[in-house]
Structure formats: C-alpha cells, structure tokens
Amino acid sequence: MPSSRRELQHEPVPPLDAGERGTVRRRSHPPGREGGVAVAVPRTAGTPAQHAAAGMPGDRPDDRTEEANHMDIIGRARELAALRRAIDRAPGAPPDVVLHGDSGVGKSALLRAAIAYAGERGIRVLGGSGFESEARLAFAGLHQLLAPVLEYLDRVEPFHRDTLRRALGMRDGPAPDRLAISVASLAVLAAVAEDGPVLIAVEDAHWVDRPTREVMTFVLLRLRAYDLRAVLTRRSLTATEHVTPGVHTLEVGPLDDEAAGRLLDLLHPGLPPSARERVLAEAAGNPLAITELPQSFVGVEPPAGASLRTRLETGFANRLLELPPRVRTTLLVAALNGDRSHHRAELSPYELLEAERAGLVTRDSTPAGLRFRHPLVRSAIVKTASPEETREAHAVLADRHRADPELRVWHLAAAAAEPDERVAAEIEKAARAVSLRGGGGPAVKALRRAAELTPDSAARAARLERAAELAGESGQLTLAQDLLDQARHHLGDPAGALATRARILMLRDGDLDAARRLPRGTPGAGPLVRVIAASYAQDPKEWEEVGGVVAGCDDELARLLHDVFTGRGSAALVRAALDALPADAPPGRVAALCRAAAWMDLLPGCRDRVRALIDGGSGRGAVTHAATGHWLAAHDHFLAGRWEAAESAANTGLDLCVRHDLGLLAHDLRCSLGWIAAARGDADGAREYGRTVERWAAPRGSGLHLSLSARNLALAATAHGDYDSAYAYWTSISPPGVIPPYVTYTPCAVFELVDSAVRTGRTAEARAHAAAAAGLAERAAPRLRMHVLAAQALVAPEEEAVPLFRAALALPGTERRPFDHARVRLALGELQRRRLRPGEARPELRRAADLFAGLGATVWRRRVEQELRATGVAVTRRPGAAHGLTSQQLEVARLAASGLSNKDIGERLFLSSRTVGAHLYRIFPKLGITSRAALRDALRGDAVN
C-alpha cells in the first residue's frame, strides 16, 4: 500500500474487466461516472477479446453497460455471500475476510465487488494496494491507509497522535514501538468509525511492507469492538505459511467447468470447438487465462510445458512489443515505479487508446489516468525491457524521487551499471539515515548494493562489514556471517570483521569461547566484545587477560565497562559518559552504557535512552539492541516495583529473541522472568526458568546466567522460609567472607546471604560476609549501601542494629526500590518484635505489608501479617486488594469468572492468550483456589480466610 497510490475511498471504483478478473458485471451508473468491477457484455464493433481486455463494451472508453442495477460475477456466489455477510456484520460472520488464490483467479474482482456493495450501503472505504517496489519502505502502507483521514488525528490522545506522526515521517523523532503504532492506528480507525461504518479494503496485501502488515494484523484481531470490517486480497498461501489465529481466510479457487465455459463463451463467442476445448483445458478454471489464452495462440509461443503464469506473461509481452517505443518506455517507468502511471500528459489520446486496446492498462477517473490491468502485466513489461532500458527508467525515477531519499536510493542503485563511488556514497548515506530511524533490514540491503558499486577494495570491505554489523543487530545472523565472508575477500579491517563475527557467535549461540578466542592474536580486535564476553563468563583468568587487552586499546567505552564489571568503576564516570552521548549516538554504544548503568543502579536516569533502543529496533531495525532495551526495561521496572510492566517487557523481549534466534539475550530475559516469579513467591516458576537457563548456560560456561539463576532460586527459597536452601544458593555465587569483583551482582547478594546465614545459625559466616562488604558502602549507589547497612545490622548487637536499619532506610531514593525497602522494613520490624517492642515494630511491619501488597508479593505480605499478629494486631483481609491481586490481575480474574476464554479476555484487554494464562497461573494460588469454577466465589470474598 504505497503512499502514492490512490486510496480506495467511498467513490465510484474504476472498472476491472473480466479479462483481468474473470468476472462479468452489469450495472447502471449516472452519466459521466465510471463504475463496475468487471467487463460489461460487448455490444459494439471490435473483437470480443479486445473488449474484454480493455474493459469496454465498445471503442469509446466511457461507453458502459447501463442495462441493469444488478451485479453478477460468474461462479462466485459463495465468495460474494461471505463478503456481504462480513460487510453487513451479520451474526456469526467474521468481520474480516482475506481472499487468497492464484494470479488471475478473480480476487480483485471480488474486492471491488465488496467495495461497491459497501458503497451502496453508505460505508466509507479506506485502504489501498501493496506494491513490490515499496514493500521495503516501512509504514508506506499505513500512510496510504490513514492519509485520507489524517484530520482524525486531532480526535485521538496526544500520545497516539505523536506516535503516528513519527511513524509516518510527519515529525522528527525516534521510531515508536510497534505496539504503540498499532494501538494508535486502531484509535484513529475507531474515531473514523464513530462517524459511520468503515470498510478497510487492501489489494495485494502480500506486497504491503512488513511493519504495516503487523499493524494490520493487530487491527484485524480487534474489529469486532468497532463499526469496522475488512476485506483483503493476497497471493496464495503456501503450505508452510503461518496464518495468525483469528484472521479469517477464504481461498478463491478456479471456476468450475460450467462457469468457465460460460465465461469463455461470453468473452470469446464463436471459437471453434477444438480451440475452445484447448483454452478450457489449459486455463483450468482460471478466469484471466480464459480471457487471455485465446490471444496467445498467435505470436511468440511460450516454452513447451510453460506454466500458466509464463503463458500469460508471454501473451502480455507479445502485445507490448507491438506498441511504439515511446509508449513502452512510459509503461516501463510506471511499472518500475510500482504505481499507476503519472504520465498521462506524455501519452497522446491515441497512444493511450492503443495501450488500452492492447489489454495492458485501463483508464480510471483519477489524475493518474491509467492503471495496469493485472500484476502480471507489470512483470511482463519489466521482463521484456532490455537492461539498458531498465537502467534508464530507474534513472528517471531516481530524479523524480529527490524529495524521498529512501525511495530514491533504490532507483539510484538499480540505475548504476558499473562501480561508481559517488552513487555508492549516496546510497551509504541513505542507508545510515534509514538505520538511525530503525530500518536496520533495509539499510543492510542498501549497504550491500553500495559495496557492489564501490571501486576501492578497502572501502567495499568496510561497507560490507558495516552491513554485517547491521545485519547482526537486526537479528539476521546468518546473513551477517555471509557478508563477513565476502568482506574477507577484500582489503577490509580484519580486526573489525573478527569482532563482528565474535559478537554474532556470542549473541546467537552463546559461544563465549569463540567470542574470546577469535579476537586473540589480532591487535585491536574487539576489545568491547571481549569485555562483554568476560562479563558473562565470570572467569578470573579471562578477566586478567581482558584487562591487558583493554589497557592497551584506545576504546574508552571498553575501558569503562571493564572497570564497571570488575567492581572498579564509579557511578560518576558512568553518568558522565551517558551525559556526553549525542542524541544520534549509535545504538550499540547506548546499549553498552545502559548495561553499565544497570550494574551501577543508575537505570532510572536512562529511561529515555532505553525507550529509544526499544523504539528504534523492535521492527526491522537493531533487533539485538531492542532486545537489550527490553531486558534493561524489565530490570528497571522490577526494581521500581512495576512488576506487571517488568513481566510484559521481558516477555516482549523474549519473543523478539526467539524470533531472531538470539540465544544469549533470550536467557538474559528468562533470568529476569525467573526473578519476577521468585519475588512473587512462585517457586515452581522460578525453578522452571532456572532449569531452562542452567541447561543452556552450563555447557557454554556462562557464569552470569548460572549466578542469576541461583539468585532467583535463593530468593524463592527465602520467600517460603527455606533458609538452608537459600544459603546454599547464595554461597554458590559468593562464598562467605568473599565478594569476588568479577562476579556480577555479588554486592547486591550481601544482605540476602547474611540473612540466610543468620537464620541458619551460621553467625561466623554472616559476620565475615558483612565485614567483607563494609568497603562497598563508600562508593556504591544508595540501593547497594542499603543492602550493606542492613547486612551489618543483622549481625550487630541489638542496640546498634536499630540505628543501622534506620540509616539504611533513610538513604536517598530507597523508597523508589519498594521490594528492597520492604525487605529491610520487615527485618527491622522482626527485630523490634523480638526485642519485645511491639509498638515500635507495628509501624515498620504495616509499611512493609502495604509495600508488598502493592507489588503483588503475596507470600511476603503473609509473612508480614504473621509478624503483625505476633505483635497483637488483628489482621483481616479486605475483599479485592487483600488477596494481593494487581489491578490487571483483578480484571483478568473477573472476566475469567464471567466465563470468557483466555482468547476473549486477551482481545478485550489487548493481551496475548499466553499472558492471560500466566496471569491466571499466579491468580489461583493467591486466591487459594485451583480452578476457574471457584473464581466467582473467591472474588466475592468467600474463599478468603
């Protein structure tokens, strides 16, 4: 659906003749208005084939059949009935129909019949068509869909308005998140539907750009809630092609023998019996073939045994060769432009009539003037042109699209016949601009073409390596390796190629050994990759070797990350590096610094950067950085107490990693999901994530993943009072009295390890560990200082412990870490109760209970309630909030109690069925029930003790 093509609006629709669509229509129209979806019955001079091909009953284009107000498409009663039911929103009928079938089978005729039917009922029509030439332009189709209704942007929320304007290139800014674009698009369409019913009609949907297709799928699944319906056409589905559940497809097959014979007799009356049988046999019920094959028996014959598609293209090519060169050139430019011809003034009326009589184009009432009768006409025109003619046509289009650099670059690339540094540099510049807007996939293709056009071997290799880097970031890891192999044949930078290859192996396969081994022996090869690989391996010998590499390199970022990961970095240096980042900094640098910020507990100040990573790469851009952004967002949300948002971010990132085979980052996100499960007290969930992570991480030597899994299992054990298991898990990460600098997050395990040691009678070990952590408090972020002070309070004499706890809770910003804050409040309350000071214990415990309830940490809240009862407080649970459900969980529970399925709940709440199931999995134990049947009583409070 490119933006330049005329939208399918509520107006008379240009005629599509039966030759193209295999249909016959008889319909009256007001004088001077064009209409119809198929050819009218020929009534005047000229051959029937010419009339059918040109969509005219006679020689005059405006001569239309006006005999009846009834439409009859031969052999398509079933399909028409389905379309009418969808448009009428009949009870039980789906509001969307996706017509698919072979070329020439009549899908477009049915679409236009649907448009006409909608028009008769006063239904507004929005949509357009997809074109191969614009399939690479992100959101070109969405622009076409929404262009006629842009005034409705003022009716939606400012956030939706800003999102769409950035996505459609109407405002500067980073590419928005795909979900935000989908929701905003639905909001605009819903606003249009408030003024009256709307039909979304899209032709050749398979050529619509992928980002728009994702948005359209989102919209199709949510039509029922609004006065919207949709009809789309696309090529045949393949046996292995996935169809989104909830999208309704209808295959348009060949005509049966009786209908095929009727159509042939109508279009080509008087054929000799032998010719008639031959046409019907070769056409096999395809309406376009029935129209065109009788004319392909003369002229250039297709190869023996040629497919029907080849036969039809050959027939169109035969007619094209009969046209004057000037007309062929104009049609070639239009075909390569992927749009209706914009050259009506360049063709005289006689020339235009010649093209129409040849059955290649049909005129419409728009300024564009004409359109191709069928996609096979376009492909026939392109295949018939010589290479020189094709290059000249692309050069014309490159000049015409100067205002659209992204489109211009493709025509420049196609117009170049030999290496040309000027053209290559312009393509590279456009590719850089595309990649910064989140178009990593298109940028890779552009850079490959730029490399082909680069005369200098070194520059060619550099462009191939940059393409490989972008391919790796966009999840195309196999392509990235192929590009690196090509670059090796040129005089490229071997260090850069080795670094990119090492990064690919690490991200895709978790091959930390290769990531360490490949850059060895090549000076300056990938110090940053070496640092990140070492942070996962957590091997002291590796860190020692990497320290030597980093000390001798000129990569400041690698040195900074090395210091952060080995415990020698400072928050001030990380903040300074983040502040110094320009707005257009490469996403790889942003992602690396944000990862350092996570280590230093500085993520709240990086939220705009993290959002930019996600928005810029979630579609076809830097997918690896987007996945990192989701992990960072999940980490930040968890610490900030937004556990639902954390889970959503982690699941979104995990889906992205699974789709793009990013094994390393996928297990980062599984660790995050296990962390959330453990904090909620979901021990089974934490163990399941732990088993998955450990099976993958152990053979690869990923100490970071093993440590994070152990952290999650320890936290789950602590939640349920199993302190012996918790101690075993914590000490597997950090031995008592030892805080290894190369093991990530060990400082944040100080409080947990000391707590489990104290509760299991290991006092000496607890004191040793608290003493070892004392030096951390001087340079750590507030959250870590809180952990250290609380750990010291656990082993201090009672008269010293309370001031230490209060000092920990008084640190600036600790309230913004509610789970950590509540844990320390609980420890202080427990201490005061043991000191027989219930009056001082109760405020601490009540605050902890409120914090845990707000988080949905039900197991922890129950522990606090037990402590409150021990202080003499009668604890009663309030209906609704007291069982620990979040607002979204409560809504899911209510809908499930009403009898809705997971799928129905997901459609209402804009959640996936899997997310709804995950909510219910956590809701049942919180309510103390085991089935949906008990939900209603539980929500009334009957099941709450």
Side-chain angles (χ1 to χ4, degrees):
M1 302 186 319
S3 58
S4 54
R5 185 173 171 101
R6 186 178 67 91
E7 291 78 10
L8 296 173
Q9 300 181 24
H10 181 198
E11 59 179 292
V13 181
L16 294 182
D17 56 293
E20 177 185 3
R21 312 302 185 187
T23 58
V24 176
R25 173 181 173 168
R26 294 175 182 167
R27 179 182 173 86
S28 64
H29 299 279
R33 299 287 297 274
E34 290 188 339
V37 183
V39 65
V41 178
R43 293 187 291 117
T44 60
T47 69
Q50 287 174 332
H51 299 321
M56 302 182 296
D59 288 341
R60 293 182 297 116
D62 291 331
D63 183 14
R64 304 291 178 191
T65 301
E66 302 179 6
E67 299 171 347
N69 199 24
H70 172 70
M71 178 176 59
D72 177 25
I73 300 181
I74 293 176
R76 298 302 184 200
R78 177 181 69 97
E79 291 85 353
L80 285 171
L83 293 175
R84 289 166 178 160
R85 285 174 55 79
I87 293 170
D88 291 336
R89 295 293 296 268
D96 63 295
V97 179
V98 179
L99 301 169
H100 67 99
D102 295 333
S103 296
V105 81
K107 303 183 295 294
S108 295
L110 290 167
L111 176 65
R112 294 183 184 274
I115 293 170
Y117 185 77
E120 292 170 356
R121 280 148 183 75
I123 297 175
R124 183 172 192 167
V125 182
L126 300 173
S129 296
F131 291 100
E132 183 177 5
S133 61
E134 293 199 3
R136 296 167 294 196
L137 303 183
F139 297 116
L142 186 63
H143 183 277
Q144 185 182 168
L145 175 67
L146 299 181
V149 292
L150 289 178
E151 68 270 17
Y152 284 85
L153 288 178
D154 294 332
R155 296 195 189 181
V156 301
E157 295 293 331
F159 172 76
H160 294 326
R161 185 161 57 246
D162 178 69
T163 295
L164 284 176
R165 284 176 174 164
R166 282 189 287 137
L168 298 178
M170 301 165 62
R171 174 175 294 174
D172 291 337
D177 177 73
R178 196 63 47 79
L179 177 61
I181 297 171
S182 300
V183 174
S185 301
L186 181 61
V188 171
L189 292 171
V192 177
E194 289 176 359
D195 287 348
V198 175
L199 170 65
I200 300 169
V202 181
E203 187 174 12
D204 290 337
H206 54 279
W207 286 127
V208 173
D209 60 280
R210 181 177 293 277
T212 296
R213 293 207 306 268
E214 292 178 2
V215 173
M216 286 302 303
T217 300
F218 179 91
V219 170
L220 290 180
L221 295 174
R222 292 161 178 82
L223 294 174
R224 292 185 185 276
Y226 312 97
D227 200 357
L228 297 168
R229 64 279 290 145
V231 179
L232 294 80
T233 70
R234 54 149 298 154
R235 62 188 172 197
S236 295
L237 290 164
T238 63
T240 59
E241 196 164 356
H242 171 71
V243 177
T244 303
V247 175
H248 302 87
T249 61
L250 177 61
E251 183 175 9
V252 182
L255 297 174
D256 60 34
D257 292 345
E258 187 273 335
R262 278 201 294 140
L263 180 62
L264 179 60
D265 292 340
L266 179 65
L267 296 175
H268 302 282
L271 278 180
S274 59
R276 185 178 184 276
E277 291 179 8
R278 180 181 172 188
V279 169
L280 291 175
E282 294 191 15
N286 184 289
L288 179 61
I290 291 171
T291 303
E292 303 298 335
L293 284 179
Q295 300 172 79
S296 68
F297 292 156
V298 296
V300 179
E301 281 291 323
S307 67
L308 179 60
R309 179 187 179 94
T310 300
R311 274 191 169 278
L312 294 173
E313 283 185 341
T314 301
F316 290 133
N318 290 343
R319 288 177 237 166
L320 183 70
L321 294 173
E322 297 173 359
L323 296 175
R326 168 185 162 82
V327 178
R328 291 204 306 269
T329 300
T330 300
L331 295 180
L332 176 60
V333 171
L336 293 174
N337 198 29
D339 202 353
R340 291 186 173 94
S341 172
H342 287 271
H343 313 290
R344 185 174 193 151
E346 296 178 11
L347 295 179
S348 68
Y350 177 77
E351 290 171 327
L352 180 60
L353 185 59
E354 278 192 291
E356 286 185 281
R357 284 180 169 173
L360 301 175
V361 300
T362 58
R363 267 195 278 187
D364 59 30
S365 58
T366 70
L370 56 85
R371 61 180 174 78
F372 294 111
R373 286 185 50 226
H374 193 274
L376 290 180
V377 175
R378 182 181 287 109
S379 63
I381 291 171
V382 173
K383 289 180 180 180
T384 304
S386 69
E388 183 61 29
E389 288 173 331
T390 302
R391 284 192 293 271
E392 289 176 358
H394 278 296
V396 169
L397 290 170
D399 184 68
R400 184 168 296 144
H401 290 295
R402 286 186 176 277
D404 187 347
E406 191 172 337
L407 188 56
R408 168 179 162 80
V409 69
W410 298 110
H411 291 300
L412 273 176
E418 56 189 17
D420 185 327
E421 177 57 30
R422 180 188 61 81
V423 175
E426 188 167 354
I427 295 172
E428 182 181 21
K429 180 180 177 181
R432 189 180 303 114
V434 170
S435 68
L436 290 175
R437 292 202 304 271
V444 171
K445 295 179 181 178
L447 282 169
R448 292 178 72 183
R449 181 58 177 154
E452 292 172 2
L453 296 173
T454 303
D456 180 70
S457 296
R460 187 182 313 146
R463 283 165 178 158
L464 285 170
E465 288 170 3
R466 176 57 182 154
E469 182 181 350
L470 286 176
E473 292 176 354
S474 61
Q476 304 174 78
L477 302 184
T478 301
L479 173 60
Q481 285 193 328
D482 291 342
L483 291 170
L484 286 176
D485 290 338
Q486 295 175 35
R488 290 177 62 188
H489 296 296
H490 306 290
L491 300 178
D493 174 17
L498 284 172
T500 301
R501 185 180 297 278
R503 184 170 180 270
I504 290 168
L505 291 172
M506 181 174 64
L507 289 173
R508 185 184 64 192
D509 305 322
D511 193 343
L512 300 179
D513 181 64
R516 296 191 297 262
R517 179 169 33 82
L518 280 176
R520 283 178 182 156
T522 304
L528 183 59
V529 175
R530 293 287 303 275
V531 169
I532 293 175
S535 74
Y536 279 98
Q538 299 188 158
D539 181 348
K541 293 182 179 179
E542 174 65 14
W543 273 122
E544 184 178 350
E545 181 179 332
V546 169
V549 172
V550 170
C553 79
D554 57 358
D555 189 336
E556 294 181 2
L557 179 59
R559 291 199 298 271
L560 176 62
L561 262 64
H562 173 270
D563 291 345
V564 168
F565 294 158
T566 55
R568 295 195 292 270
S570 71
L573 288 176
V574 175
R575 285 196 192 96
L578 284 165
D579 292 342
L581 277 178
D584 59 348
R589 187 176 184 83
V590 175
L593 277 174
C594 286
R595 189 177 281 267
W599 260 250
M600 303 300 294
D601 199 31
L602 300 175
L603 272 182
C606 305
R607 286 169 182 163
D608 289 343
R609 296 284 189 180
V610 171
R611 172 51 56 187
L613 286 175
I614 295 171
D615 290 345
S618 292
R620 300 174 64 198
V623 176
T624 56
H625 302 322
T628 300
H630 285 297
W631 175 79
L632 292 165
H635 187 91
D636 184 30
H637 286 315
F638 177 86
L639 293 178
R642 299 184 295 270
W643 289 0
E644 294 291 335
E647 185 176 38
S648 175
N651 275 317
T652 302
L654 182 57
D655 288 343
L656 195 65
C657 291
V658 170
R659 286 203 307 271
H660 294 280
D661 198 22
L662 301 172
L664 186 82
L665 298 176
H667 285 84
D668 285 350
L669 290 155
R670 290 188 176 101
C671 288
S672 295
L673 289 167
W675 194 17
I676 298 166
R680 285 171 168 157
D682 179 6
D684 290 339
R687 281 192 291 269
E688 185 61 35
Y689 282 117
R691 282 193 292 267
T692 302
V693 169
E694 289 163 9
R695 282 195 299 267
W696 182 88
R700 292 167 172 80
S702 180
L704 173 59
H705 289 111
L706 295 174
S707 296
L708 293 178
S709 178
R711 173 202 64 184
N712 298 344
L713 295 171
L715 182 58
T718 300
H720 291 277
D722 183 2
Y723 293 104
D724 279 313
S725 295
Y727 180 79
Y729 285 126
W730 288 123
T731 53
S732 72
I733 301 172
S734 179
V738 178
I739 302 177
Y742 53 85
V743 178
T744 309
Y745 296 129
T746 49
C748 294
V750 169
F751 171 72
E752 304 284 1
L753 190 153
V754 171
D755 183 41
S756 61
V758 168
R759 291 178 185 271
T760 57
R762 298 176 171 93
T763 307
E765 290 87 343
R767 287 175 177 163
H769 207 66
L776 297 174
E778 297 298 325
R779 55 186 174 83
R783 175 173 174 253
L784 178 54
R785 292 204 298 272
M786 179 174 66
H787 281 231
V788 173
L789 289 172
Q792 292 173 341
L794 289 173
V795 296
E798 288 186 355
E799 63 275 9
E800 298 176 15
V802 173
L804 284 170
F805 273 128
R806 295 202 183 282
L809 293 169
L811 288 169
T814 55
E815 283 277 2
R816 293 197 292 270
R817 301 307 194 201
F819 184 64
D820 299 88
H821 193 89
R823 295 285 308 283
V824 177
R825 288 272 182 197
L826 172 58
L828 175 56
E830 289 173 328
L831 173 64
Q832 297 286 41
R833 183 189 62 77
R834 289 196 303 271
R835 296 177 69 203
L836 302 179
R837 296 188 179 184
E840 296 180 25
R842 287 171 193 144
E844 309 298 341
L845 295 173
R846 285 195 179 102
R847 179 60 180 147
D850 289 341
L851 288 170
F852 285 136
L855 291 167
T858 310
V859 173
W860 291 97
R861 177 181 53 77
R862 288 173 181 166
R863 284 187 52 180
V864 178
E865 289 174 352
Q866 291 174 358
E867 290 291 326
L868 281 169
R869 290 189 185 98
T871 65
V873 175
V875 178
T876 57
R877 298 192 189 178
R878 292 169 287 123
H883 44 50
L885 299 186
T886 65
S887 58
Q888 188 170 72
Q889 287 176 340
L890 188 59
E891 185 65 19
V892 169
R894 286 171 176 163
L895 292 173
S898 71
L900 293 179
S901 67
N902 288 5
K903 179 181 177 183
D904 293 333
I905 295 170
E907 289 179 354
R908 289 199 182 192
L909 300 182
F910 300 100
L911 301 172
S912 68
S913 297
R914 186 178 72 177
T915 300
V916 173
H919 279 313
L920 291 172
Y921 176 79
R922 288 187 294 274
I923 288 168
F924 287 178
K926 287 183 178 183
L927 297 178
I929 60 176
T930 58
S931 69
R932 297 171 91 102
L935 272 172
R936 189 183 301 274
D937 290 339
L939 293 175
R940 287 174 180 160
D942 298 339
V944 179
N945 299 318

